[in-house]
Amino acid sequence: MRAMVFDHYGEPEVMSLSEEPVPEPQDGEVLIRVGFAGVNPSESKARSGESARAGYRVRDFEFPFVTGMDAAGIVERTGSSANGFRQGDRVITWSATDGKTWGSYAEFMRAPVRNPSPMPKSLSFAQAAAVPVAALTAFQAIFHAEKGGLIPGQKVLIHEPGGSLAVQFAKSGGLLVAATCGAYNVAYVRSLGADRVIDYETEDIGRAIR
C-alpha cells in the first residue's frame, strides 16, 4: 500500500511517500480501507517529536511511522473478537495512540474496535473524515465523567462554537445552552440550537448568562 511515513522527527520534509505492507488486523481490531484522512494538529506534533518529548500518551514512536488520526473509509476485514463490524461497512474512526499502530495517512489502517463508528449517511467521505477527533473532544468536554460530567437539565456556556459540535451535543443531551460569538456568527449559532446566543461585541457576557 502507499503511505506517508517518517523515520525520524523533524520538519515536514522528513515525510515521504512509501510502499509499505498492508497491516494485519489483530484481535479486537478492524482493518479499514481509507477513503479520506482528516488533518489536525496532532499530526504535526507527532512528526516533529513534540508528542514524544511531552510524554503525551506515548513516549516514543516506532519508525517508520505513518501518522494521521482521523479517517473515513470502508471496513476491509476484521480481526477476531471485532464484533459489530463486517466487511463493507462505511465508518469513521480515529487511530490508536500507542505510537506503534500506523495511522490514517495510508491506503489502509487498523484501529481498535472501540474507535470506529458508522459513517453518517448524509456525509461524503471527505466531510466525514473531519468528524472523529473533533467530535470526540467536544463530547468528552461536556459529558465525560472526569471532564464535563454534565447531566440533562444543567446549563452550559460554550465560547465561540465555530466547530458547532459542542452546541449540538449539548442540546441533544438535554442541556440548556448559552453560547458566545461575534455578530457575524449569531444566526449560525442560533441555528445550531443554542438557547441563548450572546454577541460578545455588544453584550456583557456575565450579565447575559445571569
Side-chain angles (χ1 to χ4, degrees):
M1 68 174 185
R2 291 175 300 173
M4 289 297 295
V5 307
F6 61 92
D7 57 11
H8 61 280
Y9 300 126
E11 297 302 313
E13 291 74 20
V14 303
M15 299 185 70
S16 62
L17 185 63
S18 176
E19 287 289 334
E20 301 292 340
V22 175
E24 189 66 30
Q26 305 300 304
D27 183 29
E29 293 182 337
V30 295
L31 179 69
I32 298 167
R33 181 185 292 272
V34 177
F36 274 80
V39 178
N40 66 55
S42 65
E43 277 91 69
S44 63
K45 293 177 181 178
R47 182 259 307 148
S48 68
E50 181 179 345
S51 296
R53 289 191 297 271
Y56 177 70
R57 294 188 180 273
V58 293
R59 294 290 179 182
D60 210 349
F61 290 84
E62 291 188 357
F63 297 125
F65 188 74
V66 179
T67 189
M69 288 289 288
D70 294 316
I74 298 174
V75 174
E76 184 75 9
R77 60 181 181 272
T78 63
S80 58
S81 304
N83 301 321
F85 294 97
R86 60 185 179 182
Q87 186 179 26
D89 285 346
R90 292 154 54 99
V91 296
I92 60 173
T93 190
W94 63 93
S95 65
T97 54
D98 56 11
K100 302 173 179 62
T101 307
W102 285 356
S104 60
Y105 286 12
E107 291 184 275
F108 294 92
M109 65 180 291
R110 58 185 177 93
V113 70
R114 65 179 179 275
N115 290 14
S117 297
M119 181 176 137
K121 294 180 180 179
S122 60
L123 299 182
S124 67
F125 283 108
Q127 293 168 327
V131 171
V133 171
L136 178 67
T137 302
F139 187 87
Q140 287 183 335
I142 298 169
F143 296 115
H144 192 284
E146 296 178 2
K147 296 181 174 68
L150 298 179
I151 59 175
Q154 290 186 313
K155 301 175 182 178
V156 62
L157 173 64
I158 300 173
H159 290 294
E160 275 288 2
S164 79
L165 291 165
V167 171
Q168 294 178 81
F169 280 142
K171 283 303 297 178
S172 66
L175 303 180
L176 186 66
V177 181
T180 65
C181 64
Y184 60 91
N185 250 349
V186 167
Y188 169 66
V189 175
R190 187 174 290 123
S191 74
L192 298 175
D195 299 287
R196 177 69 165 89
V197 181
I198 303 167
D199 179 354
Y200 59 72
E201 297 174 324
T202 60
E203 294 186 78
D204 180 278
I205 296 174
R207 182 177 299 171
I209 60 175
R210 283 195 297 271

